């Protein structure tokens, strides 16, 4: 499916269509006030305060009708530059716009007008509203102002817009196809998994048929790993807070972790498997002859996801990662990266997926020196280049401890999902003071790869359900 945010032409067109929708809403609901209306991967949306009104399917039909009238009228979209003082005066009765303006730097502010409607916006926009005529409003929901559950619930309305009616129709057909493939619908019909508010949101439970799929995936990936020399371990679901302070997760990931107190000591529920893997490595002195040491773990982790982001098996609060941690010398880095890339390639081909690769670089919130990050980033880049695999650079989206290669697979109806990842880490071995004795008899610091192939088994099963529309290949099908 198309990514509206990444496609420059569609981004501009959908940004303009969001303003057409806002203008139509203002015509029908004069009391309406607007928060933000960005373009996102699946189209555009606007967050609207309609007072006591709640958006319904009938209201959506009326808004669409008014949007068509506006597009037919064909007003030009005009850009203006105004001062912050002018903007504050223009929107003096709108608390949402005043909040936006107050957070803008002093200087010139841009706004866009089309007929009787004006809104603050950075732009760009198309020339006339007539160019936005091939649109469709696709869904609506409630959304907290600024994403804060303590704030008022606004009405969020989503839409899409295309240059031609044919492109719009093709996209709507794909959306309908995706709806029929929804893993929540098929998962319930096929009795694969269930969720129950009594156990908690975002905590899926596998039914017998679903667990049969889970076990087949587990056997499949473990068999492939064993042939490649992986040793499998299992680490506890909780650990002391001190463990995660040592690893750096406490400082960089605390808001996503669950905590508890046992015998007056602070513990955290495991959000990542890597700290346990580090302790396994450190259990005894290591020699360079043991490296690379590949430790695999299908480990259950828990993360604090916001309730509004939970989605079937795709976004959950507990899930199993097909994790592995590879400890190696610097000379072994490129070869080990390439072996993992080959493994990921073989697995995705088994399920009929194509994929593309992104190299994610150092984020603002990170550990380590510039030199370490440069060495790690270059190692990943050189390894993937040597394999003649195309890749894109995703600036600033690496893990807090190292850069990574992310693998985005494409399913049978063209949607992409980020699953596999290879992360190169100089930091955790330093923080845990991991060592090995080199050929020179001296102590050296190993380098670490974090990698997953499926990513989350839960999410991968959800993707498979939608990819196959429930018609699993014979070897994976829970019922023949």
């Amino acid at each position: 499916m198309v990514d509206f945010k990444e496609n420059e032409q569609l981004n501009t067109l959908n940004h303009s269509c969001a303003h057409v929708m806002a203008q139509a809403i203002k015509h029908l609901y004069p009391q309406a006030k607007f928060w933000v209306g960005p373009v996102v991967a699946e189209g555009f949306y606007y967050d609207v305060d309609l007072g006591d009104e709640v958006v319904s399917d009938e209201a959506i039909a009326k808004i669409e009708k008014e949007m068509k009238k506006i597009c037919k009228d064909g007003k030009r979209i005009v850009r203006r530059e105004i001062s912050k003082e002018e903007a504050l005066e223009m929107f003096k009765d709108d608390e949402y716009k005043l909040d936006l303006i107050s957070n803008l730097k002093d200087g010139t502010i841009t706004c866009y007008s089309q007929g009787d409607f004006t809104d603050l916006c950075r732009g760009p926009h198309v020339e006339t509203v007539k160019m936005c005529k091939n649109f469709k409003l696709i869904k609506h929901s409630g959304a907290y102002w600024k994403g804060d559950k303590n704030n008022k619930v606004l009405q969020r309305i989503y839409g899409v817009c295309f240059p031609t009616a044919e492109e719009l129709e093709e996209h709507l057909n794909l959306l309908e196809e995706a709806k029929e493939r929804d893993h929540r619908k098929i998962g319930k019909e096929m009795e694969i998994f269930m969720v129950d508010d009594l156990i908690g949101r975002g905590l899926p439970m596998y039914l017998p048929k679903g667990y049969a799929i889970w076990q087949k995936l587990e056997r499949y990936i473990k068999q492939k790993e064993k042939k490649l020399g992986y040793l499998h371990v299992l680490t506890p679901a909780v650990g002391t807070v001190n463990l995660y302070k040592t690893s750096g997760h406490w400082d960089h990931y605390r808001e996503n972790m669950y905590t508890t107190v046992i015998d007056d000591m602070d513990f955290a529920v495991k959000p990542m498997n890597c700290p346990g893997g580090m302790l396994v490595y450190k259990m005894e002195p290591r020699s360079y002859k043991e490296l690379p040491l590949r430790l695999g773990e299908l480990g259950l982790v828990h993360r604090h996801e916001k309730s509004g982001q939970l989605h079937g098996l795709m976004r959950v609060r507990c899930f199993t990662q097909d994790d592995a941690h590879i400890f190696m010398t610097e000379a072994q880095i490129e070869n080990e990266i390439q072996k993992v890339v080959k493994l990921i390639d073989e697995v995705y081909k088994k399920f009929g997926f194509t994929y593309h690769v992104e190299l994610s670089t150092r984020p603002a919130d990170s550990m380590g020196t510039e030199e370490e990050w440069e060495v790690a980033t270059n190692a990943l880049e050189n390894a993937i280049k040597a394999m003649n695999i195309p890749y894109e650079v995703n600036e600033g989206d690496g893990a807090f401890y190292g850069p990574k290669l992310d693998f985005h697979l494409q399913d049978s109806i063209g949607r992409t999902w980020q699953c596999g990842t290879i992360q190169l880490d100089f930091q955790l071995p330093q923080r845990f003071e991991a060592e090995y004795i080199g050929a020179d008899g001296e102590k050296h610091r190993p380098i670490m790869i974090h990698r997953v192939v499926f990513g989350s088994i839960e999410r991968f099963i959800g993707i498979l359900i939608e990819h196959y529309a429930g018609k699993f290949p014979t070897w994976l099908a829970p019922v023949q």
Side-chain angles (χ1 to χ4, degrees):
M1 280 189 177
V2 66
D3 186 323
F4 290 84
K5 193 172 182 179
E6 294 298 322
N7 185 303
E8 187 175 347
Q9 180 191 19
L10 288 178
N11 190 314
T12 300
L13 182 62
N14 278 262
H15 203 161
S16 302
C17 195
H19 280 226
V20 172
M21 182 180 75
Q23 184 178 12
I25 291 171
K26 195 69 174 174
H27 287 178
L28 296 170
Y29 306 93
Q31 80 280 15
K33 294 177 181 178
F34 302 94
W35 174 229
V36 290
V39 176
V40 289
E42 62 268 28
F44 66 85
Y45 72 79
Y46 233 116
D47 283 346
V48 191
D49 183 350
L50 296 176
D52 295 330
E53 296 281 350
V54 177
V55 173
S56 62
D57 292 343
E58 293 77 15
I60 291 292
K62 290 178 182 177
I63 294 168
E64 286 185 330
K65 185 177 180 180
E66 186 64 25
M67 288 174 69
K68 289 176 183 176
K69 285 171 60 179
I70 292 169
C71 292
K72 189 174 181 180
D73 190 38
K75 288 285 192 298
R76 289 186 63 80
I77 301 175
V78 181
R79 179 181 183 274
R80 285 193 297 148
E81 294 183 355
I82 58 176
S83 67
K84 190 170 183 178
E85 291 71 24
E86 288 175 301
L88 290 169
E89 176 62 26
M90 184 182 296
F91 295 99
K92 63 184 179 182
D93 297 323
D94 188 329
E95 63 270 28
Y96 301 105
K97 296 302 179 190
L98 291 177
D99 183 86
L100 274 175
I101 296 166
S102 67
N103 291 306
L104 296 175
K105 294 179 180 178
D106 291 333
T108 302
I109 295 172
T110 56
C111 64
Y112 285 79
S113 300
Q114 53 203 50
D116 58 5
F117 180 78
T118 298
D119 202 359
L120 298 173
C121 190
R122 286 193 299 265
H125 285 275
V126 296
E127 292 182 6
T128 75
V129 294
K130 194 171 186 178
M131 298 173 72
C132 303
K133 64 181 180 180
N134 300 303
F135 69 86
K136 181 66 180 175
L137 303 186
I138 54 175
K139 61 181 179 179
H140 56 89
S141 63
Y144 293 114
W145 181 38
K146 297 183 177 181
D148 187 338
K149 65 180 181 181
N150 296 312
N151 288 340
K152 183 173 184 177
V153 175
L154 305 180
Q155 308 293 308
R156 178 170 291 182
I157 305 174
Y158 290 86
V160 294
C161 187
F162 284 88
T164 67
E166 291 76 18
E167 289 172 288
L168 174 62
E169 183 178 4
E170 182 182 352
H171 183 76
L172 294 178
N173 288 337
L174 273 176
L175 289 180
E176 193 59 35
E177 174 75 8
K179 186 178 177 181
E180 289 301 310
R181 291 170 177 263
D182 191 317
H183 75 284
R184 295 168 297 179
K185 171 178 174 287
I186 294 174
K188 184 176 181 179
E189 292 169 352
M190 292 185 66
E191 298 180 350
I192 292 174
F193 74 98
M194 63 173 285
V195 291
D196 193 305
D197 286 346
L198 193 58
I199 195 170
R201 296 194 61 201
L203 304 171
M205 294 181 286
Y206 289 103
L207 301 174
K209 294 174 186 175
Y211 190 51
I213 297 172
W214 198 101
Q215 289 176 304
K216 289 177 182 181
L217 290 174
E218 178 187 28
R219 286 196 295 269
Y220 169 71
I221 196 65
K222 278 188 173 180
Q223 286 170 1
K224 293 191 74 67
E225 288 173 343
K226 285 176 181 176
K227 288 179 181 178
L228 294 171
Y230 285 77
L231 303 172
H232 290 94
V233 300
L234 186 63
T235 61
V238 296
T240 68
V241 164
N242 287 335
L243 172 67
Y244 298 105
K245 285 181 177 178
T246 302
S247 69
H249 289 93
W250 190 250
D251 290 333
H252 297 270
Y253 205 74
R254 187 187 321 177
E255 68 278 5
N256 296 102
M257 296 169 65
Y258 299 108
T259 58
T260 187
V261 177
I262 304 173
D263 294 337
D264 298 323
M265 184 178 289
D266 293 325
F267 281 74
V269 181
K270 180 171 69 171
M272 310 277 189
N273 296 305
C274 40
M278 285 297 320
L279 296 181
V280 172
Y281 176 87
K282 284 192 63 180
M283 66 173 285
E284 61 186 38
R286 302 288 181 179
S287 162
Y288 73 96
K289 295 179 182 179
E290 297 177 70
L291 305 183
L293 178 63
R294 307 180 187 100
L295 299 177
E297 178 178 10
L298 268 74
L300 182 66
V301 299
H302 291 72
R303 298 180 187 174
H304 185 194
E305 300 287 353
K306 293 180 179 178
S307 58
Q309 296 175 321
L310 300 175
H311 180 75
L313 293 175
M314 303 299 198
R315 195 71 177 262
V316 291
R317 286 174 170 156
C318 77
F319 54 93
T320 301
Q321 290 184 303
D322 63 317
D323 237 331
H325 300 99
I326 303 171
F327 299 89
M328 62 204 165
T329 68
E330 191 164 337
Q332 295 167 333
I333 292 176
E334 189 168 320
N335 188 45
E336 285 303 304
I337 292 169
Q338 291 176 350
K339 285 183 177 180
V340 177
V341 172
K342 289 175 184 175
L343 171 62
I344 291 173
D345 180 73
E346 289 175 9
V347 171
Y348 289 177
K349 283 179 178 175
K350 173 77 172 179
F351 296 97
F353 293 123
T354 58
Y355 62 88
H356 73 270
V357 182
E358 287 184 355
L359 171 62
S360 298
T361 60
R362 185 173 191 172
D365 180 23
S366 59
M367 303 186 301
T369 66
E370 285 292 341
E371 183 182 2
E372 290 167 338
W373 275 84
E374 185 176 357
V375 171
T377 304
N378 288 342
L380 287 171
E381 191 164 24
N382 292 338
I384 202 76
K385 277 183 177 177
M387 300 179 78
N388 294 316
I389 295 176
Y391 66 95
E392 297 174 357
V393 176
N394 186 6
E395 295 288 354
D397 200 42
F400 68 84
Y401 45 76
K404 57 181 180 168
L405 293 173
D406 287 329
F407 292 76
H408 298 257
L409 59 81
Q410 182 171 305
D411 68 15
S412 58
I413 60 172
R415 297 170 301 181
T416 57
W417 310 88
Q418 196 273 306
C419 290
T421 188
I422 304 171
Q423 302 171 353
L424 192 55
D425 184 2
F426 285 65
Q427 306 308 315
L428 258 66
Q430 291 181 30
R431 295 179 73 91
F432 280 88
E433 300 180 346
E435 297 174 340
Y436 69 90
I437 303 300
D440 57 3
E442 299 296 323
K443 292 180 178 180
H444 298 270
R445 190 82 70 205
I447 295 159
M448 183 178 184
I449 284 176
H450 308 244
R451 57 109 282 218
V452 292
V453 181
F454 296 146
S456 150
I457 290 188
E458 281 69 17
R459 190 162 184 259
F460 199 77
I461 289 175
I463 293 168
L464 290 178
I465 292 171
E466 299 194 1
H467 178 59
Y468 296 126
K471 301 176 181 68
F472 294 97
T474 305
W475 73 273
L476 193 59
V479 177
Q480 301 299 329

